[in-house]
């Protein structure tokens, strides 16, 4: 049995994903309105999410925030949602971190990221891939049972 | 306080079980509380206790159990008083 390393060419790779229920976002907007928006989304995100698919876009951004939280892989960290922002470069969504989460990303050695969003009628989803600096204090390859050549099972 | 927290969870938590009947240490995520539902729970708790959750307590563990929620709220209520 082998445990495959979470790195590519010596650089650690983190992946996070999440699915958000569009109706949940709709219900939160109905129940809490602007308070919900301001607690979770930045002004830029709120401005980006206008028009016919507003709720779907918000749901995709919420999924992106949760995907980023998973990529950090530190359950005891604080995660102010507004410190995770989805911006755009033309058609491409980009990830912007601020405040304590930007500091945490630096501490973890985050170098670059790629973000993908999607939605259907009922759900929205996000996947984030993060490339980090090479690990200095983590074991990168663990082999149990002396069968490394057989691949993961 | 726990009764109010359980009422908020029942209204906004969208859990698979009745939160009024779960152990105070039970893992609410295991019982169906989602990350998104925890936002609604937080906003409703702010209304119920006239508090605001600061960024530093916005972590998974805060909403992991009725006990944890109560501890955080007690601290916030004391800070306001």
């Amino acid at each position: 049995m082998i445990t495959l390393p979470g790195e590519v060419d010596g650089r650690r790779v983190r992946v996070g994903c999440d699915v958000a229920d569009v109706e949940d976002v709709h219900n939160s907007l109905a129940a809490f309105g602007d308070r919900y928006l301001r607690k979770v989304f930045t002004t830029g995100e709120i401005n980006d999410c206008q028009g016919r698919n507003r709720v779907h876009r918000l749901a995709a951004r919420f999924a992106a925030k949760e995907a980023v939280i998973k990529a950090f892989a530190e359950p005891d960290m604080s995660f102010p949602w507004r410190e995770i922002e989805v911006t755009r470069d033309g058609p491409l969504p980009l990830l912007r971190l601020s405040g304590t989460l930007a500091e945490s990303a630096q501490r973890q050695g985050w170098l670059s990221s790629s973000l993908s969003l999607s939605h259907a009628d009922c759900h929205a989803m996000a996947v984030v891939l993060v490339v980090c600096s090479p690990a200095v204090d983590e074991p990168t390859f663990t082999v149990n049972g002396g069968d490394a050549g057989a691949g993961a099972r | 306080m726990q009764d109010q927290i359980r009422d908020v969870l029942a209204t906004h938590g969208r859990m698979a079980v009745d939160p009024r009947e779960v152990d105070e240490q039970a893992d609410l995520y295991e019982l169906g509380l989602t990350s998104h539902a925890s936002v609604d729970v937080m906003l409703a708790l702010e209304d119920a206790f006239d508090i605001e959750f600061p960024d530093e307590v916005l972590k998974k563990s805060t909403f992991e159990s009725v006990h944890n929620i109560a501890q955080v709220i007690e601290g916030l209520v004391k800070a306001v008083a």
Side-chain angles (χ1 to χ4, degrees):
Chain A
M1 182 171 73
I2 65 171
T3 302
L4 296 169
E7 61 180 54
V8 176
D9 292 338
R11 296 194 186 282
R12 293 172 297 141
V13 175
R14 298 274 183 85
V15 176
C17 69
D18 195 65
V19 175
D21 189 319
V22 173
E23 188 176 358
D24 284 350
V25 174
H26 176 82
N27 290 338
S28 296
L29 282 168
F32 299 103
D34 198 52
R35 276 184 64 217
Y36 166 74
L37 285 176
R38 299 291 171 192
K39 199 77 172 186
V40 177
F41 303 99
T42 66
T43 300
E45 289 174 322
I46 294 168
N47 291 338
D48 280 345
C49 296
Q50 303 293 335
R52 190 170 57 89
N53 284 326
R54 174 179 183 241
V55 179
H56 294 78
R57 291 175 178 169
L58 289 170
R61 280 153 182 76
F62 187 84
K65 293 167 191 282
E66 289 295 315
V68 169
I69 290 169
K70 290 176 181 175
F72 271 108
E74 289 191 25
D76 287 336
M77 275 175 57
S78 299
F79 291 104
W81 292 284
R82 283 170 296 131
E83 292 187 2
I84 306 168
E85 181 176 24
V86 176
T87 62
R88 303 198 70 87
D89 179 15
L92 288 178
L94 296 176
L95 176 62
R96 178 188 290 161
L97 301 177
S98 60
T100 58
L101 291 188
E103 294 170 6
S104 296
Q106 284 191 318
R107 176 173 49 78
Q108 288 195 358
W110 288 29
L111 297 176
S112 60
S113 68
S114 183
L115 178 64
S116 183
L117 309 176
S118 187
H119 66 76
D121 282 347
C122 54
H123 290 91
M125 63 162 288
V127 175
V128 63
L129 176 90
V130 178
V131 177
C132 306
S133 57
V136 291
D137 57 355
E138 295 179 11
T140 55
F141 195 59
T142 303
V143 179
N144 295 317
D147 196 13
R153 293 172 188 165
Chain B
M1 176 180 288
Q2 283 211 3
D3 287 346
Q4 278 181 280
I5 293 170
R6 292 172 189 274
D7 287 343
V8 166
L9 285 166
T11 305
H12 297 282
R14 300 179 195 127
M15 295 164 57
V17 299
D18 186 346
R20 298 182 190 88
E21 298 175 359
V22 302
D23 186 90
E24 68 167 13
Q25 300 282 0
D27 187 327
L28 299 179
Y29 296 115
E30 292 287 330
L31 297 174
L33 182 69
T34 66
S35 299
H36 193 271
S38 74
V39 179
D40 288 359
V41 168
M42 176 192 65
L43 292 169
L45 289 170
E46 288 185 344
D47 289 338
F49 292 96
D50 195 21
I51 54 173
E52 182 170 358
F53 283 77
D55 285 352
E56 56 266 27
V57 302
L58 297 180
K59 54 179 76 175
K60 297 286 183 188
S61 59
T62 295
F63 302 97
E64 195 167 34
S65 67
V66 172
H67 172 79
N68 285 11
I69 294 172
Q71 274 203 320
V72 170
I73 291 176
E74 281 177 8
L76 295 176
V77 169
K78 283 180 185 172
V80 171

